[in-house]
Amino acid sequence: MIHKGKRLFLIAMVFAMLWLALFGQYLAPNDPYETNLAMTLHKPVAQYPFGTDQLGRCIFSRLLAGVRISVFASVTVVLIVFVIGTCIGIFAGFLGGKVDVFLMRITVLVQAFPAFVLAIAIAGMIGPGLKNAILSMVLIYWTTYARLGRSLVLQVKSQNYVKAAQLCGAGKVAIIFRYILPNMIDALVVTAALDIGTVIIQLASLSFLGLGAQPPVIEWGSMINASRQYMQVAPWYVFFPSLILFVIVVLHNKMADYLNEGLEEGKVI
Amino acid sequence: MSNIFIKRTIALIATLLAITFLTFVVSYLSPGDPAEIKLSKTGMPPSPEVIEETRKAMGLDRPLPVQYFSWLKGILKGDMGVSHRTGQNVSAVLGKAFPKTLTIALSTVLLTTLIAIPIALLCVRYTDSLFDRVIQSTTYMFVSMPSFIVGLVLLYVLAVRLHWFSVTPGQGLKGYVMPVSVLVLSMSSWYIRQMRTIFSNQWSMDYVAGLIAKGISKRRVLHRHVLKNSLVPIITLLGNSFATLMVGATIVENIFSVPGIGHVAIEAVLNRDYPVIQGFVLWTAIIYILINFLIDRTYSVIDPRIRLRKGETL
């Protein structure tokens, strides 16, 4: 059981992050794109709290501008796979028969491979870029929700209240939306919350390898990639983006752990 | 020998074919003309006629099914085509990268096993002790940290600060120390957490209470019984990790410039070198299917219950 104070703290942090994602760029002390060739790779000073990069751009401002990309891209991926995967899972589980076999074959085929390798292969074949990185993550992660959704549907479907609804003449659509979906959504939401941290890491990793966001888009993974050749002269350039990325992922994981515990205790919030 | 075996083999071949076909179609449909990319490497902007000629020479003007089948026919003969970029044979490129990746994968999995199992056992034996809590929070940290950050931190501390290694890749065995350390740090953290859960589940079972009631020491129960009963899930996890590493520890190979499979794949992807990408995907598929097959075999070796159950169904 998570302590109440800790719970409030976590909720506050998640809201703070969302707020930063929405308005972070307006807090930036400097223009994240503005170069200052007199101050390249400068150590942190009052004007540039986190120092500057190889073109004299403010690292702090760039990190703030990057929250939007990193957080929104990951949330987008998870939202899309959540909807698509759950729909496929419900179809497969509810309809059964050949549809089920076919959909599950595809799921197993996709899941047979390590997600990151598939993401590299797909991003590689359709070309590097943030949109394509998102697309490749979507193509991989829907399987989790399809399988989980399907198994949950099968569990719920055999419950007496669903049979009762069928006997009362409820239509298929009504049964899915009014009786099945509400009874399975919790587990799926927790999975989605857990996935956000993973997706942030994987998107940043793709960008780090040069397969995700391309300049001038500001993304943490590609910032860290650009920074590593200046590691000897400007360690702060590597340090701050890495730290922020790490903190965001830990926050997400903690939040997901909390949701998970709540689910196990039978209530989410 | 049974229906199951035949069915599995057919499913296996179908899977492989589906993968080759998908890879091929996606590469075919993707934007960017390999002929143009190959020519632009020379530095001169090519004329449309030259591009057309190169396309013909590379066989890119033929219809999709023809290209696919000629590619497939080559693969059956062990020929995966030549790299659009360097003109090297794809099988040769992958073959050259293979020993490096194998070294990384083997040492990582071995070290992770040697580190994670004892620590996880200790965590279960002294649950909620200071040791357990320290391990829990340390591993939580490493699990939440992208491996490229672990890599960069290590590079900074060991190479830039302490000068134990050079920042540029080392040759010979020394070049593997840092990449393997990064992987072992991340992987053993994850494994300690997984194994702790697996062991704790076993630990709360009735047979453990029974053994302890009989006066057998906790240590012996853990090492003899709990560990043995946990082997199947652990081997499954380790097998999967090994397979994942075999298709490229992409991030660390990239950071520490180890020319392994993952490095080859990224180079190919950034240069739109389709034959190499296709070779890589095929390689992944084969490695995965082979390793999963082997894991499946080991189940019945280590667990007589599975052996007997299989005996009944076959």
Side-chain angles (χ1 to χ4, degrees):
Chain A
M1 179 76 195
I2 284 194
H3 194 264
K4 201 178 172 190
K6 205 168 157 190
R7 184 168 83 183
L8 281 177
F9 174 74
L10 277 173
I11 293 175
M13 288 310 281
V14 168
F15 272 105
M17 205 178 55
L18 282 177
W19 189 79
L20 270 182
L22 284 171
F23 304 111
Q25 49 186 339
Y26 302 114
L27 293 178
N30 299 294
D31 178 352
Y33 297 100
E34 193 188 275
T35 58
N36 179 353
L37 293 178
M39 296 273 276
T40 55
L41 295 172
H42 201 283
K43 63 173 187 277
V45 286
Q47 193 195 348
Y48 302 113
F50 287 178
T52 61
D53 68 3
Q54 75 277 21
L55 294 173
R57 294 175 296 197
C58 173
I59 292 174
F60 182 62
S61 309
R62 291 178 70 75
L63 280 176
L64 279 175
V67 185
R68 175 181 283 249
I69 303 285
S70 295
V71 173
F72 277 161
S74 312
V75 172
T76 312
V77 169
V78 174
L79 273 181
I80 298 176
V81 293
F82 179 76
V83 173
I84 295 180
T86 309
C87 287
I88 291 177
I90 290 178
F91 265 126
F94 193 76
L95 296 176
K98 275 184 185 159
V99 183
D100 187 23
V101 172
F102 176 71
L103 288 174
M104 283 306 115
R105 278 270 158 81
I106 297 179
T107 317
V108 170
L109 187 71
V110 175
Q111 281 197 328
F113 297 94
F116 194 58
V117 172
L118 261 191
I120 289 174
I122 295 174
M125 286 185 278
I126 53 185
L130 185 63
K131 268 188 205 151
N132 289 350
I134 290 177
L135 182 64
S136 70
M137 303 290 281
V138 166
L139 284 173
I140 292 154
Y141 274 92
W142 64 270
T143 51
T144 321
Y145 300 87
R147 284 190 99 168
L148 182 63
R150 175 179 176 270
S151 67
L152 289 169
V153 167
L154 291 182
Q155 273 173 34
V156 176
K157 207 167 91 170
S158 59
Q159 300 282 328
N160 281 334
Y161 59 79
V162 174
K163 288 179 190 150
Q166 272 168 333
L167 282 177
C168 293
K172 279 180 183 168
V173 179
I175 288 178
I176 289 177
F177 281 100
R178 293 186 54 187
Y179 300 99
I180 293 183
L181 201 56
N183 283 303
M184 57 184 269
I185 205 79
D186 285 0
L188 288 162
V189 169
V190 170
T191 312
L194 275 168
D195 266 354
I196 290 183
T198 320
V199 170
I200 290 181
I201 291 186
Q202 301 240 314
L203 272 177
S205 304
L206 278 178
S207 298
F208 178 79
L209 291 171
L211 302 178
Q214 304 290 318
V217 174
I218 301 173
E219 203 272 347
W220 296 339
S222 48
M223 268 177 90
I224 297 171
N225 187 29
S227 74
R228 65 182 161 132
Q229 51 179 311
Y230 304 104
M231 187 183 265
Q232 277 156 301
V233 283
W236 55 87
Y237 186 9
V238 188
F239 176 73
F240 288 111
S242 307
L243 181 73
I244 299 288
L245 183 59
F246 172 62
V247 169
I248 293 277
V249 173
V250 169
L251 265 180
H252 267 111
N253 288 351
K254 285 273 174 204
M255 192 66 209
D257 290 347
Y258 159 63
L259 278 175
N260 202 11
E261 278 175 38
L263 181 78
E264 273 164 18
E265 285 164 20
K267 54 182 190 296
V268 170
I269 291 179
Chain B
M1 288 315 271
S2 54
N3 271 332
I4 295 179
F5 187 78
I6 296 166
K7 260 188 191 163
R8 277 204 182 160
T9 317
I10 292 173
L12 208 144
I13 294 171
T15 313
L16 271 174
L17 276 178
I19 289 162
T20 57
F21 187 68
L22 276 179
T23 332
F24 201 87
V25 171
V26 178
S27 309
Y28 183 85
L29 294 176
S30 59
D33 181 359
E36 219 175 308
I37 292 162
K38 188 184 179 190
L39 288 170
S40 63
K41 291 273 181 260
T42 57
M44 295 259 288
S47 66
E49 292 83 26
V50 177
I51 290 178
E52 211 38 57
E53 240 166 66
T54 317
R55 283 180 61 84
K56 254 190 195 144
M58 292 164 80
L60 295 170
D61 57 338
R62 297 171 297 170
L64 173 71
V66 179
Q67 283 191 46
Y68 172 65
F69 281 111
S70 86
W71 179 69
L72 199 64
K73 224 162 81 186
I75 283 172
L76 291 176
K77 292 184 207 147
D79 170 22
M80 296 190 186
V82 287
S83 158
H84 283 171
R85 193 167 61 99
T86 58
Q88 278 178 295
N89 201 311
V90 175
S91 322
V93 172
L94 289 176
K96 215 175 122 196
F98 172 67
K100 292 169 178 103
T101 305
L102 182 68
T103 313
I104 292 186
L106 263 184
S107 19
T108 304
V109 170
L110 273 179
L111 283 172
T112 302
T113 316
L114 288 178
I115 293 172
I117 291 185
I119 293 185
L121 282 174
L122 282 176
C123 282
V124 175
R125 192 164 156 205
Y126 302 107
T127 306
D128 286 333
S129 65
L130 181 67
F131 174 78
D132 185 29
R133 274 179 285 156
V134 169
I135 292 290
Q136 288 296 306
S137 36
T138 321
T139 52
Y140 195 93
M141 190 181 86
F142 277 110
V143 168
S144 302
M145 208 184 273
S147 58
F148 62 89
I149 292 185
V150 181
L152 291 176
V153 170
L154 216 66
L155 195 66
Y156 183 71
V157 175
L158 296 185
V160 178
R161 286 277 136 183
L162 298 172
H163 300 290
W164 288 358
F165 299 92
S166 71
V167 180
T168 49
Q171 291 300 314
L173 269 186
K174 214 178 170 188
Y176 291 107
V177 175
M178 282 203 285
V180 171
S181 314
V182 172
L183 290 172
V184 169
L185 269 177
S186 304
M187 254 180 68
S188 44
S189 299
W190 190 78
Y191 269 100
I192 290 171
R193 297 184 76 82
Q194 296 294 319
M195 287 178 183
R196 189 181 176 279
T197 316
I198 296 172
F199 292 151
S200 316
N201 284 343
Q202 289 286 330
W203 192 241
S204 59
M205 287 207 174
D206 288 343
Y207 77 89
V208 170
L211 288 168
I212 289 178
K214 268 168 72 182
I216 296 168
S217 74
K218 272 189 175 181
R219 205 186 127 96
R220 202 181 151 86
V221 175
L222 270 176
H223 292 203
R224 272 288 174 91
H225 303 275
V226 169
L227 186 59
K228 229 180 190 174
N229 276 311
S230 314
L231 273 181
V232 167
I234 289 177
I235 285 184
T236 312
L237 290 173
L238 282 171
N240 272 326
S241 298
F242 182 65
T244 309
L245 290 172
M246 279 305 294
V247 297
T250 324
I251 303 263
V252 295
E253 286 181 357
N254 184 283
I255 294 179
F256 299 104
S257 313
V258 181
I261 300 279
H263 197 83
V264 168
I266 295 294
E267 285 280 294
V269 162
L270 291 177
N271 290 294
R272 314 203 127 248
D273 197 343
Y274 294 136
V276 180
I277 301 177
Q278 286 160 352
F280 168 68
V281 174
L282 200 67
W283 165 263
T284 313
I286 292 169
I287 286 286
Y288 252 73
I289 287 166
L290 264 181
I291 291 180
N292 277 321
F293 180 77
L294 287 178
I295 296 174
D296 234 30
R297 296 294 96 190
T298 51
Y299 290 161
S300 40
V301 176
I302 54 175
D303 195 336
R305 286 171 299 188
I306 294 174
R307 195 159 55 222
L308 290 175
R309 216 180 300 146
K310 276 200 175 152
E312 282 164 15
T313 52
L314 287 184

